[in-house]
Amino acid sequence: MSLRDRIIEADDIGKELLEVPQWGITLEMRTMSAIQRSRMLQICTTDDGAVDLDQLYPMLCIATVFDPESGEQVFSEEDIGVLQEKSAAALEFVATRAMEMSGMTAKAVDDEGKDS
């Protein structure tokens, strides 16, 4: 099998369980695909290039939160308003882990470099 084929066939979407104490539940978190991350960043970037945090954290939850029992995505874009009304601490907790898992933080980049 060629290197290209091995890369294409690799199951590289990470999954982990995350306990969210504020909600009293455990979620399945998944890394975003490259296209999901690009689309989310386009939606969450304002015309002047700033990040719209009102959109970013809910969008991160929408893209990465799954039901650990069914494997189904928990939220859709229709839930942005509902998520914006949830605890800031809980939403930031989930969003921060989503960013770390998807390589969107300086810490995630540093951690990846340590593995090589």
Side-chain angles (χ1 to χ4, degrees):
M1 179 182 294
S2 73
L3 179 58
R4 176 188 177 278
D5 291 341
R6 291 188 350 225
I7 292 168
I8 290 170
E9 289 186 21
D11 182 7
D12 60 355
I13 302 298
K15 297 176 186 177
E16 71 176 44
L17 296 178
L18 179 70
E19 184 178 337
V20 183
Q22 297 92 334
W23 295 341
I25 58 170
T26 299
L27 306 170
E28 179 181 302
M29 301 288 296
R30 296 185 190 173
T31 58
M32 287 181 276
S33 68
I35 192 70
Q36 281 178 306
R37 185 170 72 173
S38 294
R39 183 172 179 275
M40 186 208 47
L41 289 173
Q42 286 174 339
I43 291 169
C44 298
T45 303
T46 63
D47 291 338
D48 63 358
V51 175
D52 181 353
L53 293 178
D54 288 340
Q55 296 286 319
L56 180 63
Y57 285 2
M59 290 297 291
L60 285 163
C61 288
I62 291 165
T64 62
V65 172
F66 291 79
D67 183 325
E69 293 178 16
S70 69
E72 297 291 319
Q73 195 165 11
V74 174
F75 302 111
S76 72
E77 287 187 30
E78 296 168 357
D79 294 313
I80 288 174
V82 173
L83 289 168
Q84 289 171 330
E85 296 296 323
K86 296 305 295 174
S87 157
L91 198 59
E92 184 168 1
F93 179 73
V94 174
T96 298
R97 187 63 198 130
M99 287 187 289
E100 290 170 352
M101 289 180 67
S102 295
M104 295 177 65
T105 65
K107 179 185 181 314
V109 172
D110 287 346
D111 288 348
E112 285 297 316
K114 291 175 186 173
D115 290 341
S116 38

